[in-house]
Amino acid sequence: MNNLVLELTRTSALVAALGDSSAGFAGLSDAEVLAARGPIAALLRLSSTAAARLAGTIAERSRPQLGQSGLAARHGFGNPTLMVQHATGLSRIEAGRLLAVGVLMRETEMAERRAAEARDAQRLAQATAVAAAVAAAAAAEVAAAEAAEAAAAAALAAVQAQREADWEAAQWEAREADRAAVWAELHPDLPLPDAAPRPARPEAPPVAPVAPISPVAPISLVVPMPVIPLVEVVVPWQAPIVHAVAAGIFS
């Protein structure tokens, strides 16, 4: 539905340009007279829509629950229909009809607004859940990568320590072999003195095999929707009729 303010401004300007007197209208050409029908009809329709919304506002501010503090009562009217009649110059029956249309338009717009807010809240909750799932998956991926990196570093350190121990043991055995050969040559009749203690091999803790890091599966954006307690919104069944009347395509 077009913005009422913009449409009123545009059509009012078109109607005002037609003239401000009978003489001005009499000077219009036939084509201009035919073209003027559209803006004038639109202005009447838009004015009626604005009047209905005003009547609906008067009804809301004069509802029975407010008693004598209601808008109509505070201005000396027994009910909102009389106030609308006084404001518009319509008959009481016509004012009552305008009031009913205004109330229906107000209820329809409020119901549609609540429905839109409920949809927005649901979309926001879904987006929040998706973002949380993506963040959790990313955190799990980082944690797995860090754990695998730490395990690989520990395994590498254990292998390096084992190599150093093996090298020291080999050096000790080579020195002992040389010492035994020299002693046998110099003192063939004497037993070989005790050697320095053999370097003890450090007992390396068992290293668990490092499993290869498998590719992370694609993150599914389909996450369970959280249960959101939404207020039930019932849009009046007359809503399409209200929009059609306001748009000037139904009478």
Side-chain angles (χ1 to χ4, degrees):
M1 185 170 58
N2 294 330
N3 185 279
L4 180 63
V5 176
L6 295 178
E7 285 296 301
L8 270 173
T9 303
R10 185 181 66 85
T11 54
S12 297
L14 292 175
V15 173
L18 297 175
D20 58 354
S21 64
S22 298
F25 275 81
L28 298 175
S29 65
D30 290 347
E32 290 173 332
V33 170
L34 294 175
R37 295 177 301 172
I40 292 177
L43 183 59
L44 290 173
R45 174 178 56 81
L46 293 170
S47 299
S48 297
T49 301
R53 288 179 174 171
L54 177 63
T57 302
I58 292 175
E60 169 64 19
R61 298 184 183 183
S62 305
R63 58 188 184 276
Q65 295 86 339
L66 298 177
Q68 293 301 312
S69 63
L71 181 63
R74 285 189 287 109
H75 288 79
F77 297 98
N79 54 60
T81 301
L82 295 177
M83 188 174 187
V84 172
Q85 180 184 8
H86 180 270
T88 59
L90 299 173
S91 67
R92 184 166 183 174
I93 294 178
E94 292 173 335
R97 291 174 179 171
L98 184 65
L99 189 72
V101 172
V103 170
L104 180 59
M105 291 179 66
R106 177 182 175 84
E107 292 177 350
T108 299
E109 291 177 0
M110 292 181 63
E112 291 176 341
R113 187 180 302 113
R114 288 194 297 269
E117 291 173 353
R119 288 192 298 269
D120 291 342
Q122 190 171 14
R123 283 194 292 266
L124 178 60
Q126 184 176 11
T128 302
V130 170
V134 171
E141 180 182 355
V142 171
E146 291 177 349
E149 184 178 354
L156 181 61
V159 170
Q160 185 66 26
Q162 186 64 38
R163 287 177 179 175
E164 292 178 357
D166 292 343
W167 182 84
E168 291 179 358
Q171 292 295 316
W172 183 87
E173 291 175 356
R175 287 194 302 270
E176 284 302 304
D178 292 342
R179 187 174 71 88
V182 172
W183 183 267
E185 183 178 351
L186 296 177
H187 309 284
D189 298 330
L190 297 177
L192 181 67
D194 293 336
R198 183 187 182 93
R201 290 191 175 187
E203 294 184 1
V207 179
V210 180
I213 301 176
S214 58
V216 178
I219 300 173
S220 174
L221 297 183
V222 180
V223 296
M225 281 297 302
V227 179
I228 307 173
L230 298 178
V231 179
E232 182 179 1
V233 178
V234 179
V235 178
W237 64 268
Q238 304 96 329
I241 300 176
V242 171
H243 290 304
V245 172
I249 58 176
F250 182 87
S251 60

